[in-house]
Amino acid sequence: MDHQLLRSTFAVVERRAEHAVTFFYSHLFWHNPGVRELFPEDMLPQRDRLLAALTHVVTHLEDPGLAAYLGQLGRDHRKFLASPALYAAVGQSLLAAFAHAAGAAWTIEAEKAWTEAYGHVAELMLAGADAAAGAGEPAWWDADVVRHERYGDDLAVLTLRPRQPLLHLPGQYVGVSSLRVPRVWRTYSLADAPRPDGTVELHVSRIAGGAMSTALVEETGPGEVLRLSAPGGGLVARTPPGGLRTYICAGTGWAPVRALLAEAAAAEPDLEGRLFVVARSKEYLYAREDAERLKERLPGLNVTYITAAPRQRKDQATERLLRALRACVRWSAHDVYLAGPPGFVAEVAEVLEELGTDPERIHHDTLPSVGRFTTRPNTAAERLLGPPTPLWHDPEARAPRGASRSF
Ligand SMILES: NC(=O)C1=CN([C@@H]2O[C@H](COP(=O)(O)OP(=O)(O)OC[C@H]3O[C@@H](n4cnc5c(N)ncnc54)[C@H](O)[C@@H]3O)[C@@H](O)[C@H]2O)C=CC1
């Protein structure tokens, strides 16, 4: 495959990304009646996701991990009932959209390279789907809601009992779908290590205007059934025994961190580390009781809770956290596990690097985007669909940014 040619055509398509994605879906739905019904009513998050996946493929062409990524994506796409025929239809519409957006850059060679590349991508995704089906894994897990607890106005903890065993690594997330919001899937972390009774826990924060989070926080209750997709994500334990680690979470970012700590409490109760739990206000520090229980099992864990002061804006908690992080030492010796709102993760990761943490040892997930990109935009296409928000906190206290940054 001609990687250089794939990258150069994609760079042209990217500059007209919004146009290309609109063309793609119009072409797909027009030529394949019935396919529109497989997609949610609100297509905006879907459009971002397609582009994010394509960007990932093009920027990882030489990465040996790409095949595993595509296999996992195919496994995950079983929840959409994606058939080989649908993969073929998507390929045709994608090439048509690329041809349209690339203009003069769409040469015979470019078309050949993209036809071959898409064929390869589809093959790896279908192989991932077949492998999961062959191992007896369902396309999704029906799960009964057995408990629903509210914290503050916007937060809920849901306990679910999947009807088939749901194997996962602590720290991973699942896609969640509800009949209340047809065909929409949102990702939430599983908030515990696998439990003996097979139940799982999701922590949901209601986003203003978010149909799914509102349904899960305000309307869902015991007796209802949700669908869960195959667990995925790379925020899993990576520290060798005896290694130092720091866990930092904000809001419902507590969910994956709690799962990692529960695993550590069983596997390595004498671990040494620090935990920072950040919440917008005291009322939202729903993690405190659980964290205290974990601390009893992990005496070497130093726990700090950080909230904004009363009547201060919620972001003040991050400023307070950054001050606390600056007061800590030995960052170069720590693995750091990070979870929370995307802006928080990006900001904290940057400060940790400035403090001397090895970037390879800062672990966090890039959750699939919802509506807007969940990480800072890097490419022209990402910037177009989700322009970066300006950094807001205490810029004076920061070391100068690397000259290589493009925003
Ligand atoms: N529910 C889950 O299982 C998981 C959720 N997440 C993410 O965590 C977030 C949870 O949202 P909430 O609980 O409502 O958190 P929140 O909106 O209450 O924010 C918690 C704290 O994060 C900080 N923060 C928020 N936005 C920031 C920004 N742009 N820059 C710097 N700091 C910022 C502030 O200190 C704030 O007090 C969501 O974005 C979600 O995607 C991440 C992992 C798992």
Side-chain angles (χ1 to χ4, degrees):
M1 240 184 302
D2 187 340
H3 291 178
Q4 189 46 41
L5 187 56
L6 292 174
R7 272 191 283 265
S8 61
T9 16
F10 191 68
V12 180
V13 172
E14 249 191 328
R15 288 201 280 277
R16 306 183 67 204
E18 190 128 26
H19 191 64
V21 174
T22 308
F23 188 99
F24 165 74
Y25 281 110
S26 311
H27 190 278
L28 182 68
F29 297 155
W30 177 260
H31 290 279
N32 301 278
V35 167
R36 177 67 186 92
E37 280 74 61
L38 298 175
F39 288 83
E41 216 168 282
D42 175 10
M43 286 294 293
L44 192 65
Q46 191 65 37
R47 289 152 48 119
D48 287 4
R49 258 186 221 131
L50 170 73
L51 210 64
L54 277 172
T55 307
H56 182 92
V57 170
V58 174
T59 51
H60 290 77
L61 286 169
E62 277 96 26
D63 184 343
L66 183 60
Y69 166 84
L70 290 169
Q72 171 65 24
L73 200 60
R75 175 187 178 214
D76 190 57
H77 271 59
R78 291 180 67 216
K79 70 183 185 224
F80 301 125
L81 300 173
S83 62
L86 184 61
Y87 275 90
V90 165
Q92 279 177 3
S93 296
L94 198 64
L95 290 187
F98 274 29
H100 184 73
W106 195 250
T107 58
I108 292 174
E109 292 75 29
E111 179 162 347
K112 189 164 163 288
W114 275 101
T115 307
E116 203 186 319
Y118 181 79
H120 193 53
V121 165
E123 211 174 280
L124 288 168
M125 286 180 69
L126 282 164
D130 288 348
E137 192 176 282
W140 63 76
W141 282 253
D142 284 325
D144 298 289
V145 179
V146 293
R147 197 174 317 128
H148 186 281
E149 296 153 290
R150 284 287 288 266
Y151 296 89
D153 287 339
D154 299 329
L155 226 147
V157 171
L158 281 74
T159 306
L160 315 175
R161 192 186 303 283
R163 292 181 182 173
Q164 284 174 273
L166 179 68
L167 302 177
H168 73 277
L169 296 173
Q172 287 193 310
Y173 54 73
V174 289
V176 179
S177 177
S178 161
L179 280 178
R180 293 179 185 276
V181 196
R183 299 181 301 281
V184 169
W185 289 84
R186 293 285 181 264
T187 36
Y188 294 99
S189 296
L190 297 164
D192 207 349
R195 295 171 166 179
D197 69 357
T199 59
V200 297
E201 201 176 282
L202 307 178
H203 297 180
V204 184
S205 174
R206 190 170 64 84
I207 300 169
M212 180 64 127
S213 62
T214 302
L216 291 177
V217 170
E218 292 192 347
E219 296 154 24
T220 302
E224 200 160 320
V225 180
L226 299 176
R227 267 182 193 183
L228 308 179
S229 72
L235 184 66
V236 294
R238 293 169 192 273
T239 312
L244 296 172
R245 62 210 92 175
T246 299
Y247 302 88
I248 305 173
C249 59
T252 50
W254 165 242
V257 166
R258 180 184 136 169
L260 290 168
L261 286 168
E263 179 189 34
E268 205 187 337
D270 55 350
L271 78 78
E272 273 187 55
R274 34 202 193 207
L275 164 66
F276 294 89
V277 183
V278 180
R280 58 177 101 162
S281 66
K282 284 227 163 62
E283 299 76 68
Y284 283 85
L285 204 53
Y286 76 107
R288 190 164 194 147
E289 249 174 57
D290 278 344
E292 289 299 312
R293 268 198 290 272
L294 282 163
K295 183 165 167 37
E296 276 169 26
R297 297 168 62 198
L298 292 163
L301 188 73
N302 195 307
V303 187
T304 309
Y305 302 101
I306 297 177
T307 57
R311 290 180 299 283
Q312 291 294 315
R313 64 184 204 288
K314 68 175 185 179
D315 295 340
Q316 192 211 21
T318 305
E319 286 171 9
R320 289 181 155 185
L321 169 75
L322 297 182
R323 271 201 297 280
L325 298 184
R326 287 194 178 95
C328 293
V329 292
R330 299 195 64 200
W331 282 110
S332 60
H334 277 244
D335 277 312
V336 183
Y337 297 88
L338 196 51
F344 173 87
V345 169
E347 201 59 31
V348 175
E350 208 164 306
V351 169
L352 287 170
E353 274 189 57
E354 287 170 13
L355 291 172
T357 316
D358 178 353
E360 299 281 309
R361 295 178 70 182
I362 303 175
H363 309 295
H364 60 83
D365 260 329
T366 309
L367 286 178
S369 60
V370 175
R372 295 285 98 187
F373 282 94
T374 50
T375 51
R376 289 208 192 151
N378 279 320
T379 63
E382 288 175 343
R383 269 195 292 276
L384 181 73
L385 289 171
T389 44
L391 297 173
W392 46 264
H393 75 78
D394 200 11
E396 300 300 306
R398 306 285 306 276
R401 279 158 198 273
S404 61
R405 299 197 69 90
S406 55
F407 49 88

